């Protein structure tokens, strides 16, 4: 396997470093230490043609100006937190309200905007990028000094594992994910409406008008949220279900996973023959169908637009701290937090 490193630019006196990994099968993954951002993933289609299958830019400036979290690590807490307020042990914490009057994706300067320290670990069958950062007590309003490690590992089997680890010196909340927008058509030649998703999930979480979970889990039966036997994204775009309309004609919902590490999430594009299998130790995945992508900018020459990419953000449940019935995202003092997800890229033939 090959890995190269280059300094793209400087930001706030720190180097923005790009790593490019090419495995023995020719798969290519490019990442920045700015937000642990994955900027390219090149994988073969059914004819062996290597093409990029994620939304990303070539310069940090474009990420700063346009990116709705393209490829970035999200934290301290992915998703929305109602009114940006939560309590731990009776103590109230107020987070940045950066999405209407709610908190979204770690706040104004979330982990997606941090320059992380980075190191490379190589062995015969894989290359890993280890990003680390110390998030100080009350950064963006969150309690605890938290040591964070984010490790992306590329293997010769066309897999990427994403491991998020954290340890805090006091009780806090943590919920990291990666916000890559996938488009398996290759080089964004088509939108994702005809992508087929299969999800081992019987329930999705109802959202209110501000996209905050209401606390109610809805059974997917007889709805376009039932992906158990595979369904094209288009179904949620043309649906008149109130939750699809609320999400801007599509999906922006957490799904509760019935199984972990059991091919529980599969995304396929029939025309290219590309297939992505996602496995995780996390209790939920947020399916975001790119409904809020606007056409105000270009992505490597392609005009951005609705449904140009979709996200499958494996994570804890958004706003879980305000809904005790959901799996908790509280992390105990000096107890390690570890979230593991694996992306496996295949072709259907
Ligand atoms: C919108 O509601 C969506 C989020 O889920 C997404 O992460 C963000 O755009 C990029 O706010």
């Amino acid at each position: 396997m090959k890995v190269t490193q280059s300094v793209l630019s400087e930001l706030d006196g720190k180097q923005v470093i790009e790593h490019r990994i090419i495995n023995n099968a020719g798969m290519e993954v490019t990442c920045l230490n700015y937000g642990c951002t994955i900027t390219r993933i090149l994988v073969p289609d059914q004819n062996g043609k290597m093409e990029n299958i994620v939304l990303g830019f070539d310069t940090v400036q474009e990420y700063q100006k346009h990116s709705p979290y393209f490829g970035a690590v999200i934290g301290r807490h992915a998703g929305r937190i109602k009114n940006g307020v939560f309590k731990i042990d009776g103590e109230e914490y107020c987070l940045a309200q950066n999405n209407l009057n709610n908190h979204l994706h770690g706040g104004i300067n979330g982990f997606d905007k941090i320059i992380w320290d980075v190191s490379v670990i190589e062995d015969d069958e894989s290359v890993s990028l280890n990003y680390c950062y110390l998030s100080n007590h009350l950064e963006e309003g969150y309690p605890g000094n938290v040591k964070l490690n984010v490790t992306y590992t590329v293997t010769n089997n066309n897999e990427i594992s994403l491991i998020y680890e954290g340890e805090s010196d006091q009780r806090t909340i943590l919920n990291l994910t990666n916000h890559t927008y996938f488009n398996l058509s290759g080089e964004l030649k088509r939108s994702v409406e005809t992508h087929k998703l299969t999800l081992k999930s019987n329930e999705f979480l109802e959202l209110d008008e501000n996209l905050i979970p209401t606390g109610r889990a809805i059974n997917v039966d007889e709805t376009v949220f039932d992906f158990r036997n595979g369904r094209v994204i288009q179904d949620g775009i043309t649906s008149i279900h109130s939750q699809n309309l609320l999400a801007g004609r599509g999906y922006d919902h957490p799904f509760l996973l019935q199984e972990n590490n059991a091919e529980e999430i599969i995304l396929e594009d029939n025309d290219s023959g590309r297939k992505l299998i996602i496995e995780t130790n996390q209790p939920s995945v947020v399916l975001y169908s790119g409904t809020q992508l606007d056409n105000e900018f270009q992505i490597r020459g392609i005009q951005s637009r609705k449904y140009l990419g979709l996200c499958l953000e494996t994570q804890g449940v958004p706003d879980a701290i305000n809904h005790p019935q959901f799996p908790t995202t509280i992390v105990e003092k000096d107890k390690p937090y570890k979230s593991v997800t694996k992306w496996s890229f295949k072709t259907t033939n």
Side-chain angles (χ1 to χ4, degrees), residues 68-69 80 104-105 179 181 211 252 288 292:
Y69 308 96
R80 288 172 172 82
L104 174 66
H105 290 345
H179 206 290
Y181 290 65
L211 302 174
D252 198 349
Y288 171 51
Q292 297 192 29

Side-chain angles (χ1 to χ4, degrees), residues 39 50 85 92 100 104 149 157 179 241 297 323 344-345:
T39 63
M50 284 292 178
V85 172
E92 183 171 274
L100 303 174
L104 174 66
N149 270 282
N157 297 322
H179 206 290
H241 190 296
F297 57 89
H323 297 281
S344 304
F345 297 91

Side-chain angles (χ1 to χ4, degrees), residues 115-318:
I115 304 272
W116 294 62
D117 293 331
V118 58
S119 57
V120 179
I121 303 128
E122 295 181 71
D123 68 28
D124 294 347
E125 285 305 306
S126 68
V127 170
S128 296
L129 300 175
N130 178 251
Y131 296 100
C132 51
Y133 175 62
L134 173 62
S135 176
N136 291 315
H137 179 53
L138 296 184
E139 187 176 297
E140 293 296 322
Y142 289 98
N145 293 295
V146 185
K147 286 185 204 139
L148 292 140
N149 270 282
V150 173
T151 306
Y152 296 155
T153 300
V154 180
T155 75
N156 276 324
N157 297 322
N158 286 10
E159 297 160 338
I160 303 175
S161 70
L162 306 98
I163 300 176
Y164 314 100
E165 296 169 290
E167 192 151 333
S168 176
D169 62 2
Q170 69 180 82
R171 285 188 101 207
T172 188
I173 56 175
L174 269 183
N175 180 31
L176 277 70
T177 191
N178 180 279
H179 206 290
T180 287
Y181 290 65
F182 296 104
N183 181 326
L184 302 182
S185 68
E187 306 304 335
L188 312 187
K189 62 170 76 77
R190 286 182 299 278
S191 294
V192 297
E193 290 97 330
T194 56
H195 279 34
K196 185 175 109 177
L197 178 65
T198 306
L199 262 186
K200 292 182 179 176
S201 171
N202 301 332
E203 292 180 306
F204 71 101
L205 301 189
E206 179 185 62
L207 303 177
D208 70 13
E209 65 286 355
N210 294 324
L211 302 174
I212 299 276
T214 62
R216 180 174 167 237
I218 302 177
N219 192 293
V220 300
D221 276 346
E222 313 290 314
T223 74
V224 295
F225 290 82
D226 187 351
F227 290 95
R228 291 171 295 191
N229 297 313
R231 176 182 297 278
V232 292
I233 297 298
Q234 179 74 29
D235 289 358
I237 296 170
T238 53
S239 158
I240 57 166
H241 190 296
S242 59
Q243 287 289 305
N244 295 118
L245 298 176
L246 184 89
R249 292 193 173 280
Y251 300 95
D252 198 349
H253 295 79
F255 286 77
L256 300 180
L257 293 169
Q258 297 309 117
E259 294 182 54
N260 286 118
N261 301 313
E263 298 199 354
E264 59 268 33
I265 305 166
I266 300 176
L267 184 68
E268 295 168 273
D269 172 49
N270 186 54
D271 291 336
S272 67
R274 291 192 178 95
K275 179 176 180 179
L276 165 59
I277 299 170
I278 299 179
E279 299 175 303
T280 185
N281 70 348
Q282 292 301 292
S284 77
V285 59
V286 170
L287 166 61
Y288 171 51
S289 55
T291 43
Q292 297 192 29
L293 279 173
D294 62 33
N295 53 6
E296 300 300 315
F297 57 89
Q298 295 209 332
I299 305 167
R300 294 177 179 133
I302 305 283
Q303 196 64 35
S304 175
R305 61 186 187 274
K306 236 175 162 173
Y307 315 123
L308 192 55
L310 67 81
C311 304
L312 290 161
E313 305 156 48
T314 46
Q315 60 184 273
V317 175

